[in-house]
Amino acid sequence: MSSQTTTLPVNNTIMHPQKFYISGLHDMPFANYFYVFLFIVLILTVFSNVFLLVLICFGPSLHNPKYIAVSHLALVDLCTSLSVTPKVIEMFLFNSSFITYEACLVDMFFVHFFNSMQSLSLAILAYDRFLAICLPLRYHSINTNGRMIIIIFSVWMFSAAIFSIMVLQITRLNFCGSTVINSFFCDHGPVFRLACNDSSPNTIMAFTTIILFLFVPLAFILFTYLAIGLALLKIATAEGRQKALKTCTSHIILVTLFYTPLVVTYFVAYAVGFHPNARILNNSLSTTIPPLLNPIIYTLKTEEVNESMKKLFKTKQDKNRKIRNSKILAE
């Protein structure tokens, strides 16, 4: 595909392309099957996250700070999948790989924004578990529903501000050569590296966002689990320690699923480099698989969610039984 694209002068010094071309997977056999797989993952992700959100909404026992954080993660997972997968499917199954300059900036903002919110959501859940285990007597006075909502709102505003700055920095770049983006979306790094003028502020911003939204939340989570581990050692009985640790099991699995491929990607990419296809496959799977598995893990591994699900189905069955009985009596 030719990388020649007509450019429009924005002012005397800056030229922006009318369109970018998103290359996706390079000469990979059966690539279309991978995109079909992503479509199936999207359907399952939407169903599982909507199911968890409905379950929390209609389960009175789940109306507490922990499950406000869990429902927030489900919402973020849903938005992450919807911001990435439909456009990928449209581009590569229907040969629509061109994207306008303005649409590219919008795509860049939302994909990076919701990916960062996944990381911050896991940090919020770690904060909740830290308070529950390390400060159990003060948990309900410190971690109220209102405070949890304020924390969530604050991280949304912070992330939105940072990624707005990141995207606005792209507008100062001059694109006078290739407009082929070696990624599966308008990825920040592959886009700013196409610029002809100085992109060092964008490089600094890229490192800043990686530190702020990947390594800082991960460090915070590790710190909370260090504190939780020390708190567990103070519990006298093995049964008590096991019960306390059980409340963290789902979260530990989610953290491992989300951070392991990302950390490996960044370390390997900067140490030895990645083949473009390997990087795209890894990034696309690390963006789409955790949002699918997160609600399933919380549904299967969390006792409160299981109990709420049983009560919801029992209530529905009782309601159906009453309707049937009333019809029989009417006859």
Side-chain angles (χ1 to χ4, degrees):
M1 175 61 64
S2 173
S3 62
Q4 299 297 317
T5 306
T6 305
T7 56
L8 295 175
V10 175
N11 54 38
N12 292 331
T13 57
I14 303 296
M15 289 191 298
H16 293 164
Q18 289 180 334
K19 295 180 180 180
F20 286 105
Y21 179 81
I22 300 177
S23 63
L25 297 167
H26 297 276
D27 302 321
M28 178 178 166
F30 311 113
N32 282 352
Y33 293 104
F34 177 68
Y35 300 128
V36 172
F37 167 74
L38 290 183
F39 175 72
I40 295 170
V41 168
L42 173 64
I43 298 300
L44 295 175
T45 300
V46 170
F47 173 80
S48 58
N49 281 286
V50 169
F51 176 77
L52 182 58
L53 285 168
V54 170
L55 193 62
I56 293 172
C57 180
F58 289 99
S61 63
L62 303 180
H63 295 172
N64 55 54
K66 176 184 176 180
Y67 285 99
I68 289 175
V70 171
S71 61
H72 173 250
L73 177 63
L75 177 63
V76 168
D77 286 340
L78 187 61
C79 292
T80 300
S81 295
L82 292 175
S83 68
V84 174
T85 312
K87 187 61 181 176
V88 171
I89 294 168
E90 177 192 349
M91 286 189 296
F92 300 119
L93 285 186
F94 302 102
N95 297 317
S96 178
S97 295
F98 283 103
I99 185 170
T100 65
Y101 175 80
E102 293 78 10
C104 183
L105 297 185
V106 172
D107 183 52
M108 182 187 298
F109 173 84
F110 281 109
V111 174
H112 284 295
F113 173 77
F114 285 119
N115 274 330
S116 75
M117 290 307 303
Q118 280 189 296
S119 182
L120 292 173
S121 297
L122 292 173
I124 292 171
L125 283 165
Y127 160 77
D128 175 85
R129 292 299 82 205
F130 167 77
L131 292 179
I133 295 174
C134 297
L135 300 169
L137 299 179
R138 299 175 57 193
Y139 174 80
H140 294 291
S141 62
I142 296 174
N143 200 26
T144 63
N145 288 358
R147 286 179 183 171
M148 181 59 76
I149 291 170
I150 289 171
I151 290 171
I152 291 170
F153 177 78
S154 298
V155 297
W156 275 66
M157 292 300 101
F158 176 72
S159 296
I162 295 296
F163 287 107
S164 295
I165 294 169
M166 184 189 80
V167 171
L168 286 173
Q169 281 187 333
I170 296 293
T171 62
R172 55 167 289 280
L173 296 178
N174 189 2
F175 297 91
C176 56
S178 173
T179 54
V180 176
I181 301 171
N182 291 315
S183 186
F184 63 101
F185 72 102
C186 280
D187 201 348
H188 179 243
V191 170
F192 79 71
R193 292 189 189 100
L194 297 174
C196 302
N197 55 341
D198 179 28
S199 62
S200 56
N202 304 83
T203 303
I204 294 170
M205 192 65 181
F207 278 107
T208 301
T209 55
I210 290 170
I211 292 169
L212 281 177
F213 298 108
L214 179 61
F215 290 105
V216 169
L218 179 57
F220 174 77
I221 291 168
L222 294 176
F223 167 78
T224 61
Y225 275 104
L226 176 62
I228 288 171
L230 294 175
L232 291 176
L233 293 176
K234 297 177 182 179
I235 298 176
T237 64
E239 184 182 353
R241 289 193 294 270
Q242 186 177 1
K243 184 178 179 181
L245 185 60
K246 189 177 179 181
T247 65
C248 301
T249 304
S250 297
H251 183 254
I252 292 171
I253 296 172
L254 302 191
V255 169
T256 304
L257 283 172
F258 180 77
Y259 284 106
T260 300
L262 291 178
V263 171
V264 168
T265 297
Y266 284 114
F267 278 117
V268 171
Y270 286 108
V272 296
F274 253 149
H275 186 280
N277 281 353
R279 181 177 58 82
I280 290 171
L281 283 171
N282 185 73
N283 287 348
S284 59
L285 290 174
S286 63
T287 301
T288 55
I289 298 301
L292 167 63
L293 297 180
N294 290 350
I296 296 172
I297 290 167
Y298 257 104
T299 302
L300 296 178
K301 297 287 291 182
T302 309
E303 187 176 340
E304 300 100 320
V305 174
N306 282 323
E307 288 299 319
S308 182
M309 188 162 52
K310 289 175 185 176
K311 288 179 182 178
L312 187 64
F313 285 125
K314 187 176 183 301
T315 301
K316 187 175 181 181
Q317 287 174 353
D318 290 342
K319 186 178 179 180
N320 290 337
R321 190 179 298 111
K322 288 180 181 178
I323 292 173
R324 286 197 301 269
N325 291 338
S326 61
K327 287 182 177 178
I328 291 171
L329 290 173
E331 293 173 356

